[in-house]
Amino acid sequence: MKKIVISSGAGISAESGISTFRDAGGLWEQHPVMDVASADGYRRNPALVHSFYNERRKALVEAQPNAAHRLLRDLEDEGYDVYVITQNVDDLHERAGSTKVMHLHGELMKVRAVDDESLVYRLRPEALETTPDTVIDGHRVRPHIVFFQEAVPMFEPATELAAQADIFVIIGTSLAVYPAAALLQYVRPGTPVYYIDPRPAPVPPGVTVIKATATEGMRRLFAMLTGKESPR
């Protein structure tokens, strides 16, 4: 069974209506990114950060996985061993049915204890709003998000996955956010690599660039890998 490792970025979720800060001139829903997505910003104004992610959760509840998300699940159904490494904090890959998803930058629908980051809690659908005073199991909590200026704890496991790939696919990313952009460097020489993006960044020789949106690019890739017409 061939192992396909996917590295997905904001572009795949944008097609489900999830806004991206890189397309907003340094603003994310009218907020400077470093005010709502950095460790310094959280220390300065934790109430603003909690409020911001409360709004992001409301938007995510209304969003739905798109064809690109679902085609990744379809590749599993075609017999591929598919692992998704995503920079996205939404749960659209899981809701589309992907069974092996690794989140590099945290998960929007979870919070973690301020005093013990190993304690992570999934928020209940009826209680998605938090404040700096929210307490779960005796612990104050913060968004389970890897802020700018913080380490990315899942990066090393992600590099190990990239090194095991028989096929490596990059979807919807500018290749400008590190360390996630460095995953390509861990792929074994000779491994087929595909890069799907409507505005692709420069890539090394040998990478097959599919200049298209995530949904259209995944339709093409599905046909290339399976020899079948895309079902989406």
Side-chain angles (χ1 to χ4, degrees), residues 12-221:
I12 192 170
S13 293
E15 294 184 54
S16 291
I18 303 296
S19 63
T20 70
F21 67 79
R22 288 190 177 274
D23 288 334
L27 298 176
W28 197 355
E29 298 295 337
Q30 308 310 310
H31 293 285
V33 171
M34 296 304 284
D35 283 356
V36 294
S38 73
D40 283 347
Y42 182 73
R43 281 190 289 269
R44 284 195 305 267
N45 193 342
L48 172 64
V49 175
H50 276 273
S51 176
F52 176 81
Y53 287 101
N54 290 341
E55 293 303 312
R56 303 284 69 69
R57 294 185 195 108
K58 290 178 185 177
L60 179 54
V61 168
E62 299 299 320
Q64 295 297 324
N66 59 56
H69 293 108
R70 298 191 187 283
L71 281 165
L72 293 176
R73 171 62 205 197
D74 292 337
L75 286 175
E76 290 191 41
D77 294 338
E78 291 293 325
Y80 287 99
D81 190 17
V82 181
Y83 288 77
V84 177
I85 304 167
T86 186
Q87 299 175 49
N88 302 330
V89 297
D90 59 63
D91 59 357
L92 297 178
H93 283 297
E94 289 91 341
R95 285 161 56 189
S98 287
T99 59
K100 304 181 186 81
V101 182
M102 177 185 293
H103 288 267
L104 284 181
H105 297 156
E107 297 181 64
L108 186 56
M109 291 301 186
K110 294 180 179 179
V111 293
R112 68 173 183 262
V114 171
D115 60 343
D116 185 349
E117 64 181 25
S118 69
L119 298 176
V120 178
Y121 307 95
R122 177 172 289 280
L123 294 171
R124 302 189 311 275
E126 69 276 12
L128 294 179
E129 292 197 4
T130 62
T131 75
D133 296 321
T134 298
V135 173
I136 300 177
D137 290 344
H139 300 272
R140 293 184 187 275
V141 296
R142 54 159 278 182
H144 184 47
I145 301 294
V146 177
F147 294 140
F148 288 107
Q149 304 166 327
E150 293 182 330
V152 182
M154 296 307 295
F155 182 66
E156 186 174 345
T159 65
E160 294 171 0
L161 268 181
Q164 298 166 9
D166 297 309
I167 300 169
F168 190 74
V169 183
I170 304 164
I171 306 174
T173 172
S174 63
L175 293 176
V177 177
Y178 283 83
L183 287 176
L184 182 57
Q185 300 173 16
Y186 293 85
V187 177
R188 291 171 297 175
T191 300
V193 178
Y194 300 88
Y195 177 27
I196 298 169
D197 196 272
R199 298 182 298 277
V203 289
V207 175
T208 300
V209 176
I210 302 174
K211 189 175 181 180
T213 63
T215 51
E216 177 56 31
M218 272 305 303
R219 291 183 182 115
R220 296 184 203 173
L221 183 63

